[in-house]
Amino acid sequence: MSEPAIIPSATQAAIKLAMKEAMKSRDKERLATIRLMQAEFKRIEVDERIVLDEARVMTVLDKMIKQRRDSYKQFADAGRDDLATQEASEIAVIQEYLPAQLSDEELETLIDAAIAAADGSGMQAMGVVMGQLKPQLQGRADMGAVSQKVKARLVG
């Protein structure tokens, strides 16, 4: 009896195709970033013995963006413009594979709906509200900024 075929997520397939294109066009910076993404996917698949689904791929890419934003900020603060520029270019490549970012109005609407559905007030409702928002916003908004907005709404 044969095992079912392992089907990669659509995003992983697009990244693999982009890797081939970057190789053909000899775009070294883009290729390096794509290889970083591929390596992270492979590391998780091997460590956890799973096949990544689309939601997990988005989570991984979102985490990679967050790491690079933190690095960018640290490099910029330290005056290392060369490294900050590299991080910024990696962020740009990774963001191509994430869904479009939500506008402030769309974000505010989702936050209002989650707060109304949480049926609570004050900081006690923070966990419930963020729990509702995270699956909807994964990869589409900076969760740190969302958390600050929710906290401001619940307290103020």
Side-chain angles (χ1 to χ4, degrees), residues 9-26:
S9 74
T11 304
Q12 277 183 296
I15 291 170
K16 193 169 200 162
L17 186 64
M19 186 168 82
K20 290 177 186 176
E21 292 294 324
M23 287 174 154
K24 287 178 184 175
S25 67
R26 299 184 189 271

Side-chain angles (χ1 to χ4, degrees), residues 62 65 69 95 98-104 106 137 139-142:
D62 203 32
I65 290 277
R69 282 186 181 137
Q95 278 183 328
L98 289 172
Q101 296 290 302
L102 291 173
S103 69
D104 284 340
E106 293 170 318
L137 302 178
R140 299 173 64 198
D142 177 14

Side-chain angles (χ1 to χ4, degrees), residues 48-64:
E48 299 179 16
R49 293 186 173 100
I50 60 170
V51 175
L52 296 178
D53 62 352
E54 191 68 23
R56 186 67 189 268
V57 168
M58 290 299 136
T59 303
V60 170
L61 292 176
D62 203 32
K63 182 179 176 185
M64 290 178 77

Side-chain angles (χ1 to χ4, degrees), residues 69-134:
R69 282 186 181 137
D70 290 344
S71 297
Y72 176 83
K73 184 179 182 322
Q74 290 176 1
F75 290 143
D77 290 346
R80 295 293 310 266
D81 294 335
D82 54 332
L83 294 173
T85 303
Q86 180 182 348
E87 293 295 327
S89 68
E90 288 180 8
I91 288 170
V93 171
I94 296 169
Q95 278 183 328
E96 292 175 21
Y97 302 99
L98 289 172
Q101 296 290 302
L102 291 173
S103 69
D104 284 340
E105 295 81 32
E106 293 170 318
L107 193 56
E108 297 294 334
T109 303
L110 288 172
I111 290 172
D112 289 341
I115 290 173
D119 208 27
S121 63
M123 288 305 293
Q124 298 87 350
M126 181 79 173
V128 175
V129 172
M130 290 303 294
Q132 289 178 351
L133 288 173
K134 189 165 183 168

